[in-house]
Amino acid sequence: MTCTTPSGIPARRALRGAPWLLLAAAALAAAAALGCSGEVTVPPRGEVTVPPGGPIDPPATGEDPCPPDGEPEPPDPAPIAVTAVKSAAFIGDTLHLEATVEGVPRYLVLALDERGGARAVAIATGLLGPANLVEGAPGIHVRLRAGDAGNPVVDLVATEDPEAPELVSSAELSGVVDGGTPFSVSAGRLFFCMRPQVGDGEPAALVAVDVLVGREPLVPEVITSPLCAGSGEVSYAAAGATWISWSQPAESATQDVSLYTVGAEGAAPIVNHGYNATGVHRYGAVLAAATSEQRAVFDPENRTYFLLISPSGGAQIAWASLDVGAERRLLGVVDTTLYLATEEGVRAVDIADIERPETLPYQATIEGFEGALRLLAASPRFLAVVDDRGTLFLVPREGSGTVGPLVAFPSAGDAAPAGPCED
């Protein structure tokens, strides 16, 4: 069913291209509230007099604006203001965002063209909250979020049409999670760390939930494993079947890093590695870490080294020195490519062979970012990166170049006013 906004704009529109090297526009005036009875609506077009790049109507040139061979291509409409981006997921050729749209918190769906042009095709009112969806099965994505009381809430989302996501079921579980609790899906099961109810005095435990049961009740199963049960300050990251953990050691203590694989049989330890954080190499404690299913990377205080782990091939471990400049920081890992944030933007390192990592010639120069860059999501073509303000940058993974803040336009049908050739 297609619903309409008060202006009669269909709730779903086709994608139109826009160049990916555009700079961000200033925030537009707040738009009128949407009046669609369904859960999927189109964000309204903002009201501006002169959008970035010039007026909506082309300036007078003295030439006939209505050539005999056809009508001119209408100009792009004014962009919409997408700010304070918190989480994201790529699903097919769409990018799902938890963001502020025209000053209002939204779950926004953008359709992307091959150059990174973005059109807002839906606001999913029934999915307000995190957009960090993970595929659970074909056409079904999963997310974990913290409820009002800190209890875990598992949502199953239908994504057969990624431009029109729909909440299938939502289940509140008994326990406590943090808003940024890592989670992953492997072998049809959702895995995450959960603490018992406040006051129980029990440590956190690894929990698995079967997410292939459709609308049936979701029942958590506690997995017996050291994973999630570490005492003191332990951090985690996860991707599919691969989980990693790292401790925050006291002065002169051993730094511990671990890698596990999770699946239908539970959790199995693959690597448990300890090193002297204050030894001769002065590696220092791990400041950040990230993992894909193929490679794990730990970024210590020492600005020269990274610790790399491959879960395959006998669980290899290697210290690597990467020459990308003095100021570099771990951004994320996608498959066997390590991405680093630098003073200029993003660099890439091939870590397929962790004993011989290769710094690639790739360099994305990011204009206008403030503070630290953070990777929210990745697709085969793009990285979704935000800065400390929540400004979103869509960074191509192939080819070097300059990237500005993402510019998102309304859907194609909510475009420009009638041109001079209209009757």
Side-chain angles (χ1 to χ4, degrees):
M1 178 184 71
T2 300
C3 56
T4 58
T5 67
S7 61
I9 301 168
R12 296 176 54 208
R13 294 287 191 178
L15 167 68
R16 291 181 60 200
W20 64 276
L21 296 179
L22 293 175
L23 297 181
L28 308 180
L34 299 179
C36 177
S37 60
E39 288 190 348
V40 180
T41 57
V42 166
R45 180 185 171 198
E47 297 179 0
V48 294
T49 302
V50 181
I56 292 178
D57 294 322
T61 62
E63 301 177 357
D64 182 3
C66 305
D69 294 336
E71 299 177 355
E73 179 72 15
D76 278 323
I80 60 175
V82 180
T83 59
V85 177
K86 295 181 178 179
S87 59
F90 289 97
I91 303 178
D93 292 326
T94 66
L95 176 59
H96 293 221
L97 297 176
E98 176 190 12
T100 297
V101 181
E102 305 290 353
V104 180
R106 300 289 196 185
Y107 186 106
L108 175 67
V109 181
L110 299 177
L112 306 176
D113 67 21
E114 61 183 11
R115 297 170 297 168
R119 292 278 177 181
V121 293
I123 285 175
T125 56
L127 290 175
L128 185 63
N132 52 343
L133 304 185
V134 174
E135 186 175 23
I140 292 290
H141 278 69
V142 183
R143 74 176 177 184
L144 175 72
R145 56 188 174 89
D148 293 339
N151 55 303
V153 180
V154 179
D155 294 328
L156 302 185
V157 181
T159 53
E160 287 184 338
D161 181 355
E163 293 188 7
E166 180 182 0
L167 183 65
V168 174
S169 65
S170 183
E172 295 189 14
L173 307 180
S174 178
V176 179
V177 295
D178 299 322
T181 297
F183 65 93
S184 71
V185 175
S186 174
R189 309 177 90 195
L190 170 68
F191 292 88
F192 61 95
C193 295
M194 183 178 74
R195 302 190 307 275
Q197 293 289 352
V198 176
D200 288 352
E202 295 294 327
L206 179 65
V207 173
V209 178
D210 185 351
V211 294
L212 301 181
V213 296
R215 296 180 182 274
E216 298 177 23
L218 300 180
V219 179
E221 174 192 355
V222 176
I223 305 297
T224 301
S225 169
L227 181 61
C228 298
S231 59
E233 295 294 326
V234 180
S235 300
Y236 303 93
T242 301
W243 275 69
I244 59 174
S245 68
W246 62 100
S247 63
Q248 299 300 320
E251 188 69 23
S252 301
T254 298
Q255 168 78 71
D256 291 313
V257 299
S258 299
L259 186 148
Y260 293 79
T261 183
V262 300
E265 302 301 320
I270 303 299
V271 171
N272 183 261
H273 177 69
Y275 66 88
N276 188 341
T278 59
V280 63
H281 293 290
R282 308 290 298 184
Y283 292 127
V286 172
L287 299 177
T291 190
S292 67
E293 290 202 74
Q294 294 84 14
R295 298 291 183 269
V297 179
F298 300 85
D299 186 3
E301 292 175 292
N302 189 307
R303 294 291 82 190
T304 301
Y305 295 102
F306 286 90
L307 176 60
L308 311 180
I309 298 180
S310 170
S312 59
Q316 294 175 296
I317 301 174
W319 285 97
S321 176
L322 306 178
D323 183 18
V324 296
E327 294 297 326
R328 88 291 179 276
R329 202 173 43 78
L330 174 62
L331 185 64
V333 185
V334 182
D335 301 325
T336 58
T337 301
L338 163 63
Y339 288 97
L340 300 174
T342 68
E343 291 180 305
E344 293 78 26
V346 178
R347 297 293 304 273
V349 180
D350 182 351
I351 56 171
D353 183 347
I354 64 172
E355 295 184 347
R356 297 175 180 83
E358 178 185 359
T359 301
L360 301 175
Y362 168 91
Q363 180 167 347
T365 300
I366 298 183
E367 293 189 343
F369 76 92
E370 293 186 8
L373 295 173
R374 183 163 55 96
L375 178 64
L376 295 184
S379 76
R381 292 188 297 168
F382 300 109
L383 305 175
V385 176
V386 294
D387 65 7
D388 284 346
R389 299 171 301 173
T391 302
L392 177 64
F393 302 87
L394 196 62
V395 181
R397 294 182 61 192
E398 296 292 335
S400 300
T402 301
V403 182
L406 177 75
V407 177
F409 290 92
S411 59
D414 186 21
C421 300
E422 296 288 336
D423 292 334

